[in-house]
């Protein structure tokens, strides 16, 4: 296995009226090719900022980020945004085909790929709807499908299931596990849910409260392929609880910061 | 609360917008016939309609259309053009649309550029803002001085009016884009042109349409004013000349045509916007009035 993503000493400082704000501070992360890494941390600790740095949308103030291209004819990385960021002026199918269109894939081919993904995320019948006609959870699925349809080597996913109801969430978690076990992309997956991180990830990386840096890491030893039934085992509960105990103090600190 | 039959309210709502104007026109007609209104200033609606029909029949409003077959069969295209150039309606429409297109297209282009590029914006904005606030009619003499009193100056004045309105609205629209859409565009590999074509332009288009709507309205004002002072054909000329010669029924007929034109422009642009900007919620919620609320609560 080779290292696909390496972030060393990543720090991001934003200028604000009250002085500099550290969004992330000296954060380190390495992910192997095909690894599913979950990042969990209290709200405002800098997870989205870190993902934006990985995605090349903002530059770090200091530190270094390397994504190793695999040389295949596919994009290196794509993001699933916390705010969905699907285009209100494009239909569902055109949104999902967006990356393919930018890469110059012919219309017939990209339609076919997009329609396939529409079915996989359970949006059949909404291909020609505009985002304003969709619920929050449906928009989020469009944004997930847009990333998968573009078939990148690395997926950077920022709370991709955050806006879903608990039941749909379970269905899509299983679907995600299934997709990933089939395609073995390198995934950095930000989530608020410890259970989700344990169910999906090979490894859970915890961040401290704002300004976020490395808190600790947990390997997730469970066999694949995984199913939702895993969440009802004692081992699963024990690991999730251990992670929560480790994170609890940070979450409380983050809540106090916000008061 | 007592339940009144629903259909009464709905038929009332449908009849009122047609019925009330008809009532007003009827009152107007009666008032003139009973000489409560001075027919020299306010000719009866029937007189105005007759005048409008006469303007068409005599070939003033739409040109001498009956000459067209002869010109076309002899291949006399200059003659064909002349027929239309002598119809008040066509020549005004021509000036409006030529000026509108010549102003709006560079307005969109430069507005986008100014929205995207800080340097260009900072350099150009003060100049354009200063020019923008000048009432366009005020520079009509200057435009005629420079471009003469022919068609060019009339088209130019409409173009100038449209240019600034479209420019500033486009710029506002481009600057209003949410950063997240630009980020998504870039993350999915859009180059500069693709970013413009797939993200910036569609995102700004509701603003651009506001600019287009405003400038079509302004174009109508400006062209009528220009035709008042410097034209031998056109709706503005028709109104002005009829006033000068005290043919008030012709003046009113001209006003009606202008009114219809303005209404068609507005609804035409609305239709175009619905086609080109289909992603906006179609039914914008109208403010409810008291009777509407009563009806809603009665239903539930
Ligand atoms: N553009 C910016 N300018 C100034 N401060 C910013 C900016 N973006 C983020 N921040 C600050 O950086 C910190 C981290 O923000 P970030 O969005 O990365 O948090 P997060 O971990 O994703 O939070 P959440 O879990 O709520 O999504 C916050 O304190 C935020 O206020
Ligand atoms: Mg976030």
């Amino acid at each position: 296995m080779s290292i696909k993503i390496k972030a060393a000493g990543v720090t991001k400082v934003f200028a604000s009226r009250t002085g500099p704000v550290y969004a992330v501070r000296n954060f380190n992360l390495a992910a192997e090719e095909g690894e599913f890494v979950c990042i969990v941390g209290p709200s405002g600790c800098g997870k989205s900022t870190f993902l934006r740095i990985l995605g090349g949308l903002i530059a770090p103030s200091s530190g270094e980020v390397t994504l190793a291209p695999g040389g295949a004819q596919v994009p290196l990385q794509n993001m699933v945004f916390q705010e969905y960021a699907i285009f209100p002026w494009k239909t569902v199918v055109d949104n999902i085909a967006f990356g393919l269109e930018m890469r110059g894939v012919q219309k017939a081919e990209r339609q076919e790929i997009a329609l396939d993904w529409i079915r996989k995320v359970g949006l059949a019948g909404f291909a020609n709807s505009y985002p304003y006609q969709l619920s929050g959870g449906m928009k989020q699925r469009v944004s997930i499908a847009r990333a998968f349809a573009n078939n990148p080597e690395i997926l950077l996913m920022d709370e991709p299931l955050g806006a879903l109801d608990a039941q749909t969430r379970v269905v899509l978690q299983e679907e995600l596990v299934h997709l990933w076990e089939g395609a073995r992309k390198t995934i950095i997956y930000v989530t608020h849910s410890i259970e989700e991180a344990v169910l999906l990830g090979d490894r859970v990386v915890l961040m401290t409260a704002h300004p976020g840096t490395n808190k600790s890491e947990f390997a997730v030893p469970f066999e694949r392929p995984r199913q939702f039934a895993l969440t009802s085992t004692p081992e699963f509960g024990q690991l999730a609880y251990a992670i929560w105990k480790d994170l609890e103090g940070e979450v409380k600190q983050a809540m106090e910061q916000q008061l | 609360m007592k339940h009144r039959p629903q259909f009464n309210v709905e038929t009332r709502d449908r009849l009122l917008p047609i019925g009330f104007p008809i009532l007003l026109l009827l009152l107007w007609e009666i008032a003139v016939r009973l000489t409560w209104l001075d027919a020299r200033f306010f000719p009866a609606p029937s007189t105005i309609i007759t005048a409008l029909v006469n303007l068409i029949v005599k070939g003033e409003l739409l040109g001498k259309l009956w000459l067209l077959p002869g010109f076309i069969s002899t291949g006399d295209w200059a003659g064909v053009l002349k027929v239309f150039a002598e119809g008040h309606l066509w020549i005004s429409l021509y000036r409006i649309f030529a000026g509108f297109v010549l102003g709006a297209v560079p307005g969109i282009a430069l507005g986008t550029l100014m929205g995207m590029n800080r340097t260009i914006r900072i350099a150009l904005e003060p100049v354009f803002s200063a020019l923008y606030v000048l009432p366009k009619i005020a520079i009509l003499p200057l435009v005629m001085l420079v471009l003469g009193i022919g068609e060019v100056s009339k088209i130019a004045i409409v173009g100038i009016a449209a240019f600034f309105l479209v420019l500033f609205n486009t710029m506002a629209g481009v600057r209003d884009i949410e950063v997240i859409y630009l980020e998504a565009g870039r993350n999915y590999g859009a180059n500069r042109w693709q970013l413009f074509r797939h993200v910036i332009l569609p995102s700004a288009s509701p603003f651009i349409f506001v600019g287009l709507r405003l400038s079509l309205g302004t174009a109508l004002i400006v062209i009528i004013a220009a035709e008042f002072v410097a034209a031998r054909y056109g709706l503005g000329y028709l109104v002005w000349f009829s006033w000068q010669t005290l043919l008030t029924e012709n003046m009113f007929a001209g006003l009606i045509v202008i009114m219809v034109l303005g209404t068609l422009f507005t609804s035409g642009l609305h239709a175009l916007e619905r086609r080109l900007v289909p992603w906006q919620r179609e039914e914008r919620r109208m403010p409810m009035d008291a009777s509407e609320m009563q009806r809603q609560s009665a239903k539930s």
Side-chain angles (χ1 to χ4, degrees):
Chain A
M1 280 289 169
S2 61
I3 296 290
K4 192 77 182 166
I5 302 174
K6 188 162 175 57
V10 170
T11 299
K12 180 71 194 180
V13 191
F14 287 110
S16 83
R17 220 171 302 161
T18 53
V21 178
Y22 280 84
V24 260
R25 189 170 217 162
N26 194 22
F27 187 67
N28 301 296
L29 184 84
E32 291 192 342
E33 180 152 15
E35 196 180 14
F36 197 132
V37 179
C38 292
I39 299 179
V40 180
S43 185
C45 75
K47 303 180 295 293
S48 296
T49 304
F50 177 67
L51 229 53
R52 279 193 155 73
I53 292 172
L54 288 185
L57 294 172
I58 53 178
S61 308
S62 64
E64 227 174 298
V65 168
T66 336
L67 308 184
Q73 288 292 5
V74 294
L76 181 56
Q77 52 83 15
N78 280 128
M79 270 184 89
V80 177
F81 293 86
Q82 187 172 9
E83 310 84 344
Y84 326 140
I86 56 172
F87 303 117
W89 47 87
K90 286 186 182 286
T91 58
V92 167
V93 62
D94 286 344
N95 260 296
I96 295 177
F98 182 72
L100 299 165
E101 188 176 359
M102 295 305 103
R103 288 201 270 136
V105 174
Q106 287 308 303
K107 185 165 177 131
E109 190 186 344
R110 61 176 195 254
Q111 291 282 102
E112 194 188 315
I113 298 173
L115 287 172
D116 191 37
W117 279 101
I118 286 176
R119 232 172 303 114
K120 283 187 186 155
V121 296
L123 287 174
F126 289 93
N128 295 313
S129 301
Y130 284 98
Y132 79 86
Q133 297 164 309
L134 306 179
S135 71
M138 291 158 88
K139 286 181 205 165
Q140 202 155 47
R141 280 181 270 162
V142 173
S143 117
I144 293 171
R146 174 174 68 181
F148 274 95
N150 205 30
N151 193 27
E153 295 178 44
I154 299 170
L155 277 165
L156 306 169
M157 307 178 83
D158 198 351
E159 299 194 38
L161 305 183
L164 300 180
D165 62 278
Q167 291 81 32
T168 316
R169 201 176 167 126
V170 170
V171 173
L172 274 165
Q173 282 170 351
E174 282 207 315
E175 184 65 21
L176 261 177
V177 172
H178 182 72
L179 284 174
W180 177 79
E181 282 166 355
R184 287 286 165 154
K185 296 179 175 308
T186 312
I187 297 186
I188 307 294
Y189 189 103
V190 168
T191 174
H192 271 136
S193 158
I194 294 171
E195 279 76 17
E196 183 167 289
V198 175
L199 175 64
L200 298 178
D202 295 321
R203 195 151 50 96
V204 181
V205 174
L206 300 190
M207 285 177 83
T208 65
H210 170 89
T213 184
N214 299 73
K215 164 86 177 164
S216 55
E217 278 193 30
F218 292 79
V220 183
F222 306 121
E223 292 273 295
R224 296 192 186 264
R226 293 182 194 161
Q227 251 112 43
F228 188 67
L230 174 66
T231 59
S232 65
T233 62
E235 293 80 10
F236 184 94
Q238 277 158 14
L239 180 55
Y241 184 70
I243 295 177
W244 166 245
K245 280 322 270 182
D246 201 26
L247 196 62
E248 193 179 9
E250 301 296 334
V251 174
K252 286 184 175 152
Q253 193 186 325
M255 288 170 74
E256 276 158 23
Q257 280 172 358
Q258 279 160 17
L259 289 180
Chain B
M1 205 168 66
K2 239 178 23 185
H3 270 270
R4 272 169 295 164
Q6 282 292 311
F7 76 95
N8 267 351
V9 186
E10 272 152 33
T11 33
R12 186 204 66 186
D13 280 5
R14 216 168 307 138
L15 287 181
L16 219 47
I18 310 164
F20 187 66
I22 289 180
L23 184 72
L24 276 184
L25 287 173
L26 257 169
L27 285 177
W28 182 355
E29 182 82 34
I30 291 168
V32 175
R33 299 222 171 165
L34 298 178
T35 65
W36 294 345
L37 268 180
D38 189 334
R40 284 171 307 173
F41 300 146
F42 298 101
S46 58
T47 317
I48 296 172
I49 299 292
T50 315
L52 186 60
V53 172
N54 272 332
L55 283 173
I56 295 172
V57 172
K58 283 191 285 175
E60 288 189 39
L61 192 60
L62 306 178
K64 299 188 171 67
L65 296 175
W66 55 89
L67 297 179
L68 278 181
F71 285 136
I72 292 173
S73 62
T74 56
D76 180 1
W77 302 114
V80 172
L81 267 185
K82 192 161 178 290
V83 168
F84 286 111
E86 289 178 353
H88 294 308
L89 177 63
W90 306 130
I91 192 71
S92 288
L93 275 178
Y94 163 69
R95 289 164 183 157
I96 289 172
F97 279 107
F100 181 67
V101 171
L102 288 177
V105 172
I108 292 174
L110 201 57
T112 308
L113 213 60
M114 283 173 70
M116 288 168 73
N117 187 309
R118 213 179 104 85
T119 316
I120 298 179
R121 180 171 62 247
I122 292 177
L124 295 184
E125 200 171 358
V127 183
F128 282 159
S129 301
L131 292 175
Y132 171 63
V133 295
L134 259 182
K136 297 307 160 292
I137 296 172
I139 57 168
L140 183 58
L142 175 66
V143 173
M144 291 194 303
L145 193 67
V146 176
L147 298 174
I149 54 168
E151 288 310 310
V152 181
S153 65
K154 286 182 217 43
I155 292 172
I157 192 80
V158 172
I160 291 169
F163 173 76
F164 286 109
L165 281 164
V166 174
L167 174 100
F168 278 103
N169 278 284
T170 304
M171 186 175 84
V174 169
R175 298 201 65 194
D176 191 63
I177 293 173
E178 287 183 45
V179 177
I180 189 87
Y181 295 128
L182 294 174
E183 289 186 337
R186 277 203 285 144
N187 188 258
Y188 283 83
N191 59 31
R192 280 181 83 87
W193 164 249
Q194 288 172 320
L195 214 54
F196 172 74
R197 161 82 184 69
H198 290 275
V199 181
I200 294 167
L201 197 61
S203 168
S205 58
F207 282 75
I208 297 177
F209 265 99
V210 171
L212 292 180
R213 227 181 351 259
L214 290 175
S215 55
L216 211 45
T218 312
L220 199 57
I221 298 175
V222 170
I223 201 61
I224 298 291
E227 288 170 351
F228 275 0
V229 295
R232 282 178 46 242
Y233 293 101
L235 293 171
Y237 170 79
L238 173 66
V239 169
W240 189 259
F241 179 79
S242 306
W243 170 75
Q244 283 193 317
T245 50
L246 281 179
L247 292 167
T248 30
E249 62 271 24
N250 280 3
M251 183 184 83
F252 273 97
L255 292 183
I256 288 177
V257 176
I258 294 170
M259 204 164 70
V260 171
L261 214 57
T263 315
L264 285 181
F265 284 173
T266 313
S267 53
L269 259 185
H270 266 300
L272 190 69
E273 183 170 4
R274 268 196 301 278
R275 268 192 65 91
L276 293 180
V277 190
W279 61 86
Q280 290 198 311
R281 258 180 196 72
E282 259 137 44
E283 355 70 63
R284 290 220 185 79
R285 281 190 68 77
M286 301 294 276
M288 284 205 278
D289 64 12
S291 68
E292 181 87 11
M293 287 202 273
Q294 245 178 20
R295 226 188 302 165
Q296 298 243 321
S297 63
K299 269 183 195 160
S300 57

